[in-house]
mmCIF file of all heavy atoms in Angstrom:
data_model
loop_
_atom_site.group_PDB
_atom_site.id
_atom_site.type_symbol
_atom_site.label_atom_id
_atom_site.label_comp_id
_atom_site.label_asym_id
_atom_site.label_seq_id
_atom_site.Cartn_x
_atom_site.Cartn_y
_atom_site.Cartn_z
ATOM 1 N N TYR A 345 -1.280 -5.813 11.166
ATOM 2 C CA TYR A 345 -0.441 -4.802 11.803
ATOM 3 C C TYR A 345 0.665 -4.352 10.843
ATOM 4 O O TYR A 345 0.902 -3.160 10.669
ATOM 5 C CB TYR A 345 0.155 -5.352 13.106
ATOM 6 C CG TYR A 345 1.219 -4.467 13.690
ATOM 7 C CD1 TYR A 345 0.883 -3.268 14.316
ATOM 8 C CD2 TYR A 345 2.563 -4.814 13.610
ATOM 9 C CE1 TYR A 345 1.859 -2.445 14.845
ATOM 10 C CE2 TYR A 345 3.547 -4.002 14.138
ATOM 11 C CZ TYR A 345 3.195 -2.816 14.757
ATOM 12 O OH TYR A 345 4.170 -2.000 15.269
ATOM 13 N N LEU A 346 1.347 -5.318 10.227
ATOM 14 C CA LEU A 346 2.410 -4.982 9.282
ATOM 15 C C LEU A 346 1.858 -4.208 8.087
ATOM 16 O O LEU A 346 2.523 -3.303 7.566
ATOM 17 C CB LEU A 346 3.134 -6.248 8.819
ATOM 18 C CG LEU A 346 3.997 -6.925 9.885
ATOM 19 C CD1 LEU A 346 4.469 -8.290 9.402
ATOM 20 C CD2 LEU A 346 5.174 -6.044 10.264
ATOM 21 N N GLN A 347 0.648 -4.536 7.661
ATOM 22 C CA GLN A 347 0.005 -3.807 6.562
ATOM 23 C C GLN A 347 -0.168 -2.332 6.945
ATOM 24 O O GLN A 347 0.134 -1.436 6.154
ATOM 25 C CB GLN A 347 -1.345 -4.444 6.213
ATOM 26 C CG GLN A 347 -2.167 -3.684 5.205
ATOM 27 C CD GLN A 347 -1.738 -3.918 3.771
ATOM 28 O OE1 GLN A 347 -0.701 -4.517 3.495
ATOM 29 N NE2 GLN A 347 -2.518 -3.435 2.844
ATOM 30 N N ARG A 348 -0.669 -2.094 8.149
ATOM 31 C CA ARG A 348 -0.840 -0.705 8.612
ATOM 32 C C ARG A 348 0.507 0.015 8.643
ATOM 33 O O ARG A 348 0.612 1.167 8.209
ATOM 34 C CB ARG A 348 -1.494 -0.663 9.990
ATOM 35 C CG ARG A 348 -2.972 -0.967 9.981
ATOM 36 C CD ARG A 348 -3.648 -0.669 11.311
ATOM 37 N NE ARG A 348 -3.041 -1.351 12.445
ATOM 38 C CZ ARG A 348 -3.315 -2.593 12.826
ATOM 39 N NH1 ARG A 348 -4.208 -3.309 12.157
ATOM 40 N NH2 ARG A 348 -2.720 -3.125 13.882
ATOM 41 N N CYS A 349 1.531 -0.660 9.134
ATOM 42 C CA CYS A 349 2.863 -0.050 9.196
ATOM 43 C C CYS A 349 3.404 0.248 7.800
ATOM 44 O O CYS A 349 4.000 1.300 7.568
ATOM 45 C CB CYS A 349 3.825 -0.961 9.956
ATOM 46 S SG CYS A 349 3.432 -1.103 11.709
ATOM 47 N N ARG A 350 3.189 -0.681 6.884
ATOM 48 C CA ARG A 350 3.647 -0.452 5.509
ATOM 49 C C ARG A 350 2.905 0.718 4.870
ATOM 50 O O ARG A 350 3.492 1.519 4.146
ATOM 51 C CB ARG A 350 3.468 -1.728 4.681
ATOM 52 C CG ARG A 350 4.483 -2.804 5.015
ATOM 53 C CD ARG A 350 4.228 -4.084 4.245
ATOM 54 N NE ARG A 350 5.325 -5.011 4.399
ATOM 55 C CZ ARG A 350 5.215 -6.222 4.936
ATOM 56 N NH1 ARG A 350 4.034 -6.674 5.356
ATOM 57 N NH2 ARG A 350 6.268 -6.998 5.049
ATOM 58 N N MET A 351 1.624 0.814 5.114
ATOM 59 C CA MET A 351 0.846 1.940 4.573
ATOM 60 C C MET A 351 1.327 3.258 5.169
ATOM 61 O O MET A 351 1.419 4.268 4.464
ATOM 62 C CB MET A 351 -0.646 1.753 4.834
ATOM 63 C CG MET A 351 -1.283 0.668 3.997
ATOM 64 S SD MET A 351 -1.264 1.109 2.240
ATOM 65 C CE MET A 351 -2.386 -0.112 1.614
ATOM 66 N N GLU A 352 1.648 3.254 6.461
ATOM 67 C CA GLU A 352 2.186 4.461 7.094
ATOM 68 C C GLU A 352 3.522 4.845 6.470
ATOM 69 O O GLU A 352 3.792 6.021 6.221
ATOM 70 C CB GLU A 352 2.328 4.255 8.602
ATOM 71 C CG GLU A 352 1.010 4.205 9.332
ATOM 72 C CD GLU A 352 1.137 3.757 10.778
ATOM 73 O OE1 GLU A 352 2.283 3.599 11.283
ATOM 74 O OE2 GLU A 352 0.083 3.552 11.411
ATOM 75 N N THR A 353 4.360 3.852 6.207
ATOM 76 C CA THR A 353 5.637 4.104 5.547
ATOM 77 C C THR A 353 5.404 4.697 4.166
ATOM 78 O O THR A 353 6.037 5.684 3.788
ATOM 79 C CB THR A 353 6.464 2.799 5.428
ATOM 80 O OG1 THR A 353 6.771 2.338 6.736
ATOM 81 C CG2 THR A 353 7.732 3.003 4.629
ATOM 82 N N LEU A 354 4.500 4.118 3.430
ATOM 83 C CA LEU A 354 4.195 4.615 2.093
ATOM 84 C C LEU A 354 3.648 6.045 2.157
ATOM 85 O O LEU A 354 4.018 6.886 1.330
ATOM 86 C CB LEU A 354 3.198 3.678 1.400
ATOM 87 C CG LEU A 354 3.027 3.835 -0.089
ATOM 88 C CD1 LEU A 354 4.349 3.747 -0.839
ATOM 89 C CD2 LEU A 354 2.059 2.782 -0.615
ATOM 90 N N ASP A 355 2.797 6.337 3.127
ATOM 91 C CA ASP A 355 2.282 7.695 3.295
ATOM 92 C C ASP A 355 3.412 8.680 3.597
ATOM 93 O O ASP A 355 3.406 9.810 3.115
ATOM 94 C CB ASP A 355 1.236 7.758 4.406
ATOM 95 C CG ASP A 355 -0.074 7.100 4.016
ATOM 96 O OD1 ASP A 355 -0.312 6.904 2.799
ATOM 97 O OD2 ASP A 355 -0.870 6.766 4.918
ATOM 98 N N ARG A 356 4.382 8.237 4.380
ATOM 99 C CA ARG A 356 5.528 9.088 4.714
ATOM 100 C C ARG A 356 6.400 9.341 3.480
ATOM 101 O O ARG A 356 6.970 10.419 3.316
ATOM 102 C CB ARG A 356 6.340 8.424 5.823
ATOM 103 C CG ARG A 356 7.487 9.249 6.342
ATOM 104 C CD ARG A 356 8.168 8.623 7.544
ATOM 105 N NE ARG A 356 8.309 7.190 7.549
ATOM 106 C CZ ARG A 356 9.252 6.511 6.913
ATOM 107 N NH1 ARG A 356 10.142 7.134 6.173
ATOM 108 N NH2 ARG A 356 9.315 5.184 6.996
ATOM 109 N N LEU A 357 6.495 8.346 2.604
ATOM 110 C CA LEU A 357 7.324 8.465 1.404
ATOM 111 C C LEU A 357 6.615 9.166 0.246
ATOM 112 O O LEU A 357 7.263 9.599 -0.706
ATOM 113 C CB LEU A 357 7.766 7.067 0.934
ATOM 114 C CG LEU A 357 8.653 6.273 1.880
ATOM 115 C CD1 LEU A 357 8.879 4.870 1.325
ATOM 116 C CD2 LEU A 357 9.969 6.976 2.127
ATOM 117 N N ARG A 358 5.287 9.271 0.329
ATOM 118 C CA ARG A 358 4.496 9.830 -0.768
ATOM 119 C C ARG A 358 5.016 11.214 -1.173
ATOM 120 O O ARG A 358 5.257 12.062 -0.322
ATOM 121 C CB ARG A 358 3.038 9.948 -0.335
ATOM 122 C CG ARG A 358 2.120 10.451 -1.420
ATOM 123 C CD ARG A 358 0.717 10.697 -0.948
ATOM 124 N NE ARG A 358 0.331 9.822 0.146
ATOM 125 C CZ ARG A 358 -0.900 9.441 0.402
ATOM 126 N NH1 ARG A 358 -1.880 9.864 -0.324
ATOM 127 N NH2 ARG A 358 -1.160 8.659 1.415
ATOM 128 N N PRO A 359 5.171 11.439 -2.471
ATOM 129 C CA PRO A 359 5.675 12.744 -2.913
ATOM 130 C C PRO A 359 4.636 13.852 -2.698
ATOM 131 O O PRO A 359 3.430 13.585 -2.682
ATOM 132 C CB PRO A 359 5.946 12.532 -4.402
ATOM 133 C CG PRO A 359 5.053 11.410 -4.793
ATOM 134 C CD PRO A 359 4.910 10.534 -3.591
ATOM 135 N N LEU A 360 5.133 15.057 -2.519
ATOM 136 C CA LEU A 360 4.230 16.196 -2.348
ATOM 137 C C LEU A 360 3.492 16.516 -3.647
ATOM 138 O O LEU A 360 2.346 16.939 -3.622
ATOM 139 C CB LEU A 360 5.011 17.419 -1.869
ATOM 140 C CG LEU A 360 5.621 17.299 -0.466
ATOM 141 C CD1 LEU A 360 6.444 18.535 -0.135
ATOM 142 C CD2 LEU A 360 4.555 17.063 0.570
ATOM 143 N N ASP A 361 4.171 16.313 -4.770
ATOM 144 C CA ASP A 361 3.558 16.539 -6.075
ATOM 145 C C ASP A 361 2.688 15.329 -6.399
ATOM 146 O O ASP A 361 3.199 14.241 -6.664
ATOM 147 C CB ASP A 361 4.636 16.725 -7.134
ATOM 148 C CG ASP A 361 4.087 16.962 -8.531
ATOM 149 O OD1 ASP A 361 2.842 16.950 -8.710
ATOM 150 O OD2 ASP A 361 4.899 17.158 -9.450
ATOM 151 N N MET A 362 1.390 15.508 -6.371
ATOM 152 C CA MET A 362 0.462 14.393 -6.589
ATOM 153 C C MET A 362 0.415 13.914 -8.032
ATOM 154 O O MET A 362 -0.213 12.897 -8.325
ATOM 155 C CB MET A 362 -0.945 14.809 -6.158
ATOM 156 C CG MET A 362 -1.073 15.031 -4.676
ATOM 157 S SD MET A 362 -2.696 15.630 -4.138
ATOM 158 C CE MET A 362 -3.834 14.953 -5.311
ATOM 159 N N PHE A 363 1.059 14.633 -8.940
ATOM 160 C CA PHE A 363 0.950 14.295 -10.353
ATOM 161 C C PHE A 363 2.311 14.036 -11.011
ATOM 162 O O PHE A 363 2.480 14.270 -12.202
ATOM 163 C CB PHE A 363 0.203 15.412 -11.095
ATOM 164 C CG PHE A 363 -1.170 15.636 -10.540
ATOM 165 C CD1 PHE A 363 -1.457 16.775 -9.800
ATOM 166 C CD2 PHE A 363 -2.174 14.698 -10.714
ATOM 167 C CE1 PHE A 363 -2.724 16.976 -9.280
ATOM 168 C CE2 PHE A 363 -3.437 14.881 -10.197
ATOM 169 C CZ PHE A 363 -3.711 16.026 -9.466
ATOM 170 N N CYS A 364 3.248 13.497 -10.238
ATOM 171 C CA CYS A 364 4.563 13.163 -10.788
ATOM 172 C C CYS A 364 4.674 11.646 -10.961
ATOM 173 O O CYS A 364 3.787 10.896 -10.548
ATOM 174 C CB CYS A 364 5.674 13.682 -9.871
ATOM 175 S SG CYS A 364 5.719 12.888 -8.248
ATOM 176 N N GLU A 365 5.773 11.207 -11.558
ATOM 177 C CA GLU A 365 5.969 9.772 -11.773
ATOM 178 C C GLU A 365 5.961 9.009 -10.450
ATOM 179 O O GLU A 365 5.383 7.919 -10.356
ATOM 180 C CB GLU A 365 7.294 9.498 -12.510
ATOM 181 C CG GLU A 365 7.339 9.983 -13.928
ATOM 182 C CD GLU A 365 7.841 11.426 -14.014
ATOM 183 O OE1 GLU A 365 8.288 11.995 -12.984
ATOM 184 O OE2 GLU A 365 7.773 11.994 -15.111
ATOM 185 N N ASP A 366 6.614 9.580 -9.429
ATOM 186 C CA ASP A 366 6.665 8.885 -8.145
ATOM 187 C C ASP A 366 5.279 8.721 -7.533
ATOM 188 O O ASP A 366 5.028 7.756 -6.811
ATOM 189 C CB ASP A 366 7.605 9.596 -7.164
ATOM 190 C CG ASP A 366 9.068 9.229 -7.393
ATOM 191 O OD1 ASP A 366 9.332 8.197 -8.058
ATOM 192 O OD2 ASP A 366 9.954 9.960 -6.896
ATOM 193 N N ALA A 367 4.359 9.627 -7.829
ATOM 194 C CA ALA A 367 2.982 9.468 -7.345
ATOM 195 C C ALA A 367 2.330 8.252 -8.011
ATOM 196 O O ALA A 367 1.553 7.528 -7.373
ATOM 197 C CB ALA A 367 2.169 10.730 -7.616
ATOM 198 N N VAL A 368 2.651 8.010 -9.257
ATOM 199 C CA VAL A 368 2.140 6.829 -9.962
ATOM 200 C C VAL A 368 2.717 5.570 -9.318
ATOM 201 O O VAL A 368 1.999 4.595 -9.063
ATOM 202 C CB VAL A 368 2.490 6.879 -11.466
ATOM 203 C CG1 VAL A 368 2.081 5.589 -12.172
ATOM 204 C CG2 VAL A 368 1.844 8.090 -12.129
ATOM 205 N N TYR A 369 4.016 5.588 -9.010
ATOM 206 C CA TYR A 369 4.643 4.429 -8.388
ATOM 207 C C TYR A 369 4.098 4.201 -6.974
ATOM 208 O O TYR A 369 3.926 3.055 -6.553
ATOM 209 C CB TYR A 369 6.166 4.593 -8.363
ATOM 210 C CG TYR A 369 6.766 4.872 -9.723
ATOM 211 C CD1 TYR A 369 7.827 5.748 -9.864
ATOM 212 C CD2 TYR A 369 6.264 4.270 -10.867
ATOM 213 C CE1 TYR A 369 8.392 6.011 -11.108
ATOM 214 C CE2 TYR A 369 6.817 4.530 -12.120
ATOM 215 C CZ TYR A 369 7.875 5.406 -12.223
ATOM 216 O OH TYR A 369 8.423 5.673 -13.456
ATOM 217 N N CYS A 370 3.824 5.279 -6.273
ATOM 218 C CA CYS A 370 3.237 5.173 -4.934
ATOM 219 C C CYS A 370 1.865 4.497 -5.020
ATOM 220 O O CYS A 370 1.546 3.617 -4.217
ATOM 221 C CB CYS A 370 3.119 6.576 -4.322
ATOM 222 S SG CYS A 370 2.595 6.600 -2.611
ATOM 223 N N TYR A 371 1.076 4.879 -6.000
ATOM 224 C CA TYR A 371 -0.237 4.266 -6.223
ATOM 225 C C TYR A 371 -0.072 2.772 -6.521
ATOM 226 O O TYR A 371 -0.805 1.935 -6.005
ATOM 227 C CB TYR A 371 -0.938 4.977 -7.382
ATOM 228 C CG TYR A 371 -2.379 4.576 -7.591
ATOM 229 C CD1 TYR A 371 -3.410 5.343 -7.071
ATOM 230 C CD2 TYR A 371 -2.713 3.449 -8.336
ATOM 231 C CE1 TYR A 371 -4.743 4.997 -7.267
ATOM 232 C CE2 TYR A 371 -4.030 3.087 -8.535
ATOM 233 C CZ TYR A 371 -5.046 3.869 -8.006
ATOM 234 O OH TYR A 371 -6.362 3.511 -8.209
ATOM 235 N N ALA A 372 0.938 2.448 -7.321
ATOM 236 C CA ALA A 372 1.186 1.045 -7.689
ATOM 237 C C ALA A 372 1.526 0.212 -6.455
ATOM 238 O O ALA A 372 1.015 -0.905 -6.295
ATOM 239 C CB ALA A 372 2.319 0.957 -8.707
ATOM 240 N N ILE A 373 2.361 0.745 -5.577
ATOM 241 C CA ILE A 373 2.733 0.011 -4.368
ATOM 242 C C ILE A 373 1.512 -0.153 -3.467
ATOM 243 O O ILE A 373 1.261 -1.242 -2.941
ATOM 244 C CB ILE A 373 3.884 0.725 -3.624
ATOM 245 C CG1 ILE A 373 5.149 0.703 -4.483
ATOM 246 C CG2 ILE A 373 4.127 0.071 -2.262
ATOM 247 C CD1 ILE A 373 6.263 1.618 -3.991
ATOM 248 N N ARG A 374 0.730 0.908 -3.310
ATOM 249 C CA ARG A 374 -0.479 0.841 -2.487
ATOM 250 C C ARG A 374 -1.435 -0.218 -3.041
ATOM 251 O O ARG A 374 -1.990 -1.025 -2.297
ATOM 252 C CB ARG A 374 -1.176 2.204 -2.431
ATOM 253 C CG ARG A 374 -2.396 2.234 -1.521
ATOM 254 C CD ARG A 374 -2.931 3.634 -1.336
ATOM 255 N NE ARG A 374 -1.957 4.568 -0.854
ATOM 256 C CZ ARG A 374 -1.569 4.683 0.425
ATOM 257 N NH1 ARG A 374 -2.093 3.913 1.327
ATOM 258 N NH2 ARG A 374 -0.673 5.577 0.778
ATOM 259 N N LEU A 375 -1.610 -0.238 -4.354
ATOM 260 C CA LEU A 375 -2.491 -1.221 -4.983
ATOM 261 C C LEU A 375 -1.968 -2.643 -4.747
ATOM 262 O O LEU A 375 -2.739 -3.551 -4.440
ATOM 263 C CB LEU A 375 -2.632 -0.923 -6.477
ATOM 264 C CG LEU A 375 -3.541 -1.847 -7.274
ATOM 265 C CD1 LEU A 375 -4.968 -1.841 -6.716
ATOM 266 C CD2 LEU A 375 -3.544 -1.405 -8.749
ATOM 267 N N LYS A 376 -0.654 -2.829 -4.853
ATOM 268 C CA LYS A 376 -0.069 -4.147 -4.591
ATOM 269 C C LYS A 376 -0.296 -4.567 -3.139
ATOM 270 O O LYS A 376 -0.626 -5.731 -2.864
ATOM 271 C CB LYS A 376 1.430 -4.154 -4.913
ATOM 272 C CG LYS A 376 1.730 -4.208 -6.391
ATOM 273 C CD LYS A 376 3.225 -4.281 -6.630
ATOM 274 C CE LYS A 376 3.538 -4.377 -8.097
ATOM 275 N NZ LYS A 376 3.050 -5.607 -8.714
ATOM 276 N N LEU A 377 -0.134 -3.646 -2.208
ATOM 277 C CA LEU A 377 -0.351 -3.963 -0.791
ATOM 278 C C LEU A 377 -1.801 -4.347 -0.536
ATOM 279 O O LEU A 377 -2.085 -5.324 0.166
ATOM 280 C CB LEU A 377 0.027 -2.768 0.091
ATOM 281 C CG LEU A 377 1.521 -2.519 0.278
ATOM 282 C CD1 LEU A 377 1.756 -1.154 0.928
ATOM 283 C CD2 LEU A 377 2.164 -3.622 1.097
ATOM 284 N N LEU A 378 -2.722 -3.598 -1.113
ATOM 285 C CA LEU A 378 -4.138 -3.901 -0.920
ATOM 286 C C LEU A 378 -4.521 -5.221 -1.575
ATOM 287 O O LEU A 378 -5.295 -5.998 -1.014
ATOM 288 C CB LEU A 378 -5.004 -2.760 -1.462
ATOM 289 C CG LEU A 378 -4.913 -1.441 -0.692
ATOM 290 C CD1 LEU A 378 -5.645 -0.329 -1.426
ATOM 291 C CD2 LEU A 378 -5.434 -1.600 0.728
ATOM 292 N N THR A 379 -3.972 -5.484 -2.736
ATOM 293 C CA THR A 379 -4.235 -6.748 -3.426
ATOM 294 C C THR A 379 -3.723 -7.916 -2.593
ATOM 295 O O THR A 379 -4.402 -8.935 -2.441
ATOM 296 C CB THR A 379 -3.583 -6.744 -4.822
ATOM 297 O OG1 THR A 379 -4.124 -5.658 -5.583
ATOM 298 C CG2 THR A 379 -3.817 -8.050 -5.551
ATOM 299 N N ARG A 380 -2.541 -7.754 -2.030
ATOM 300 C CA ARG A 380 -1.959 -8.812 -1.196
ATOM 301 C C ARG A 380 -2.826 -9.078 0.028
ATOM 302 O O ARG A 380 -3.077 -10.233 0.369
ATOM 303 C CB ARG A 380 -0.555 -8.407 -0.756
ATOM 304 C CG ARG A 380 0.110 -9.434 0.138
ATOM 305 C CD ARG A 380 1.513 -8.963 0.551
ATOM 306 N NE ARG A 380 2.117 -9.924 1.428
ATOM 307 C CZ ARG A 380 1.947 -9.952 2.753
ATOM 308 N NH1 ARG A 380 1.186 -9.055 3.338
ATOM 309 N NH2 ARG A 380 2.531 -10.866 3.482
ATOM 310 N N MET A 381 -3.310 -8.054 0.678
ATOM 311 C CA MET A 381 -4.109 -8.249 1.892
ATOM 312 C C MET A 381 -5.431 -8.940 1.588
ATOM 313 O O MET A 381 -5.973 -9.629 2.441
ATOM 314 C CB MET A 381 -4.353 -6.931 2.624
ATOM 315 C CG MET A 381 -3.178 -6.473 3.457
ATOM 316 S SD MET A 381 -2.486 -7.708 4.589
ATOM 317 C CE MET A 381 -3.812 -7.894 5.766
ATOM 318 N N ARG A 382 -5.930 -8.780 0.387
ATOM 319 C CA ARG A 382 -7.177 -9.457 0.026
ATOM 320 C C ARG A 382 -6.990 -10.974 -0.039
ATOM 321 O O ARG A 382 -7.953 -11.716 0.001
ATOM 322 C CB ARG A 382 -7.710 -8.944 -1.310
ATOM 323 C CG ARG A 382 -8.238 -7.517 -1.197
ATOM 324 C CD ARG A 382 -9.011 -7.071 -2.394
ATOM 325 N NE ARG A 382 -9.947 -8.007 -2.939
ATOM 326 C CZ ARG A 382 -11.162 -8.288 -2.448
ATOM 327 N NH1 ARG A 382 -11.563 -7.724 -1.356
ATOM 328 N NH2 ARG A 382 -11.956 -9.148 -3.058
ATOM 329 N N LEU A 383 -5.744 -11.423 -0.129
ATOM 330 C CA LEU A 383 -5.470 -12.857 -0.176
ATOM 331 C C LEU A 383 -5.601 -13.513 1.192
ATOM 332 O O LEU A 383 -5.713 -14.738 1.285
ATOM 333 C CB LEU A 383 -4.060 -13.108 -0.720
ATOM 334 C CG LEU A 383 -3.793 -12.615 -2.139
ATOM 335 C CD1 LEU A 383 -2.333 -12.834 -2.505
ATOM 336 C CD2 LEU A 383 -4.707 -13.305 -3.134
ATOM 337 N N PHE A 384 -5.567 -12.695 2.237
ATOM 338 C CA PHE A 384 -5.661 -13.235 3.593
ATOM 339 C C PHE A 384 -7.121 -13.395 3.972
ATOM 340 O O PHE A 384 -7.882 -12.449 4.007
ATOM 341 C CB PHE A 384 -4.956 -12.322 4.599
ATOM 342 C CG PHE A 384 -3.471 -12.303 4.419
ATOM 343 C CD1 PHE A 384 -2.861 -11.305 3.671
ATOM 344 C CD2 PHE A 384 -2.686 -13.290 4.974
ATOM 345 C CE1 PHE A 384 -1.494 -11.296 3.495
ATOM 346 C CE2 PHE A 384 -1.322 -13.288 4.795
ATOM 347 C CZ PHE A 384 -0.725 -12.283 4.062
ATOM 348 N N ASP A 385 -7.480 -14.622 4.267
ATOM 349 C CA ASP A 385 -8.849 -14.940 4.656
ATOM 350 C C ASP A 385 -8.752 -15.853 5.872
ATOM 351 O O ASP A 385 -8.161 -16.937 5.798
ATOM 352 C CB ASP A 385 -9.560 -15.642 3.489
ATOM 353 C CG ASP A 385 -10.981 -16.014 3.815
ATOM 354 O OD1 ASP A 385 -11.170 -16.987 4.573
ATOM 355 O OD2 ASP A 385 -11.886 -15.342 3.306
ATOM 356 N N GLU A 386 -9.317 -15.418 6.979
ATOM 357 C CA GLU A 386 -9.184 -16.165 8.234
ATOM 358 C C GLU A 386 -9.720 -17.589 8.111
ATOM 359 O O GLU A 386 -9.085 -18.551 8.553
ATOM 360 C CB GLU A 386 -9.905 -15.419 9.356
ATOM 361 C CG GLU A 386 -9.617 -15.982 10.716
ATOM 362 C CD GLU A 386 -10.144 -15.106 11.831
ATOM 363 O OE1 GLU A 386 -10.732 -14.045 11.563
ATOM 364 O OE2 GLU A 386 -9.960 -15.507 12.989
ATOM 365 N N GLU A 387 -10.867 -17.751 7.475
ATOM 366 C CA GLU A 387 -11.466 -19.084 7.367
ATOM 367 C C GLU A 387 -10.592 -20.002 6.515
ATOM 368 O O GLU A 387 -10.317 -21.138 6.883
ATOM 369 C CB GLU A 387 -12.874 -18.975 6.773
ATOM 370 C CG GLU A 387 -13.618 -20.297 6.760
ATOM 371 C CD GLU A 387 -15.036 -20.135 6.236
ATOM 372 O OE1 GLU A 387 -15.709 -19.167 6.626
ATOM 373 O OE2 GLU A 387 -15.437 -20.977 5.426
ATOM 374 N N ARG A 388 -10.150 -19.484 5.352
ATOM 375 C CA ARG A 388 -9.289 -20.300 4.489
ATOM 376 C C ARG A 388 -7.968 -20.618 5.173
ATOM 377 O O ARG A 388 -7.423 -21.705 5.033
ATOM 378 C CB ARG A 388 -9.025 -19.586 3.164
ATOM 379 C CG ARG A 388 -10.153 -19.707 2.192
ATOM 380 C CD ARG A 388 -9.842 -19.203 0.813
ATOM 381 N NE ARG A 388 -8.526 -18.618 0.632
ATOM 382 C CZ ARG A 388 -8.250 -17.674 -0.240
ATOM 383 N NH1 ARG A 388 -9.171 -17.200 -1.020
ATOM 384 N NH2 ARG A 388 -7.036 -17.192 -0.353
ATOM 385 N N GLY A 389 -7.435 -19.657 5.927
ATOM 386 C CA GLY A 389 -6.188 -19.874 6.648
ATOM 387 C C GLY A 389 -6.326 -20.950 7.707
ATOM 388 O O GLY A 389 -5.449 -21.802 7.864
#
């Protein structure tokens, strides 16, 4: 749930210019969020 909320926040913050520095940083945050969620495994937990 928090992941979905964070992604929504990131989508709201995403710059209109898809090719600016902030768009690169937005991609970096999204990649970090997705990488983090891959660490969650119900069986291992």
